[in-house]
Every structure is written in C-alpha cells, then in structure tokens.
Amino acid sequence: MNQQQLEDALNKMLMSTESVSKAAILRKKDGQVRIQTPTFAMSKEEFNTIKAAFESPRVGRDNPIVLDGSKYLAVRVDKQAIYAKDGMSGVIIAQTKGSFVVCLYEAGMYPAVCAEATEKLAEYLKEKGK
C-alpha cells in the first residue's frame, strides 16, 4: 500500500467515525510511523510497551499503556487487540502481520465505534498482507 492509500484508509475508516481522536499505523518491527493524524505522538518507550503487551498479554494487563501523557489501564489484552481506559478516554490497538493500528478516543466519543473502526482497519490491512 502506498502512502495515499494509507491516508485514505485512516481518514475514511477511522477519522470519519468521529469516535477516534488520534490514530496511527505503526510498523510492528520497529515502531516507524507509516501514517498518523497530525496530533498523534508516540515515544520509543511507549511503542516498546505496546509491543511487550502483545508478546505477553499478562504484561499488558499488569502494566499501564502510556500514550500522550495518559496512563491507560487494560481491560482486554490478547494476541489480536488491546483495549485500555483512563476514565472516559481510552485506546484501542489492533495487531496485524506487520503493523499496529493505534486509535485513541476521548470523553464524549463512542468507545465501541472506535473499537469497531480500529478492528475494521486492521482486518483491511490483513487482507492486503500488511
């Protein structure tokens, strides 16, 4: 997939729902950003925490996911996705063969819509072999 296709997917599948405040598609092996919304930021340490959570779901359940200055406590961690919350905001992270799809939602947004959109984009990437 080229950059334009990734940008289109991010905008059409995630941002158009109005239940995703920030999002990115990251390369799984090193955390390189493939595409992101303008205000999305992630440190190498934050990426490593996400990667460790997928490698060992227990690690993900026992340690908060820190993104954008907030600590999100996991409510679900498995080999496919991480769902974590901080009050009324949260993060949904879905895993594909070579990518992580990271989406944040804020108070007033619909977490279920964010989760559905995140997993839909991850499935689309899987179909494309990404």
Side-chain angles (χ1 to χ4, degrees):
M1 295 182 75
N2 66 36
Q3 198 69 12
Q4 186 61 50
Q5 289 170 315
L6 287 173
E7 186 175 335
D8 289 346
L10 187 85
N11 288 327
K12 290 178 185 173
M13 294 180 165
L14 300 178
M15 303 315 293
S16 68
T17 68
E18 298 184 4
S19 286
V20 175
S21 59
K22 299 176 187 179
I25 300 172
L26 309 172
R27 194 163 64 187
K28 197 158 120 177
K29 70 178 180 180
D30 60 9
Q32 180 179 343
V33 175
R34 298 181 68 205
I35 192 81
Q36 68 186 30
T37 57
T39 58
F40 183 91
M42 178 182 288
S43 71
K44 186 69 172 171
E45 183 179 323
E46 291 169 340
F47 169 77
N48 288 336
T49 301
I50 290 168
K51 192 171 183 180
F54 276 111
E55 290 170 354
S56 174
R58 182 180 176 139
V59 169
R61 286 188 291 273
D62 292 346
N63 298 290
I65 303 291
V66 178
L67 288 174
D68 201 30
S70 295
K71 288 184 180 182
Y72 298 96
L73 301 178
V75 293
R76 172 186 162 193
V77 181
D78 58 36
K79 294 292 183 181
Q80 302 300 316
I82 298 171
Y83 289 53
K85 291 182 65 170
D86 176 26
M88 298 300 290
S89 62
V91 61
I92 312 292
I93 307 164
Q95 174 173 228
T96 71
K97 179 181 176 184
S99 302
F100 292 126
V101 178
V102 182
C103 297
L104 287 87
Y105 63 88
E106 298 174 358
M109 294 180 168
Y110 297 100
V113 174
C114 180
E116 182 180 348
T118 305
E119 291 186 8
K120 183 177 178 181
L121 179 54
E123 189 59 38
Y124 174 76
L125 293 173
K126 288 176 187 176
E127 290 171 5
K128 298 291 183 187
K130 305 290 179 192

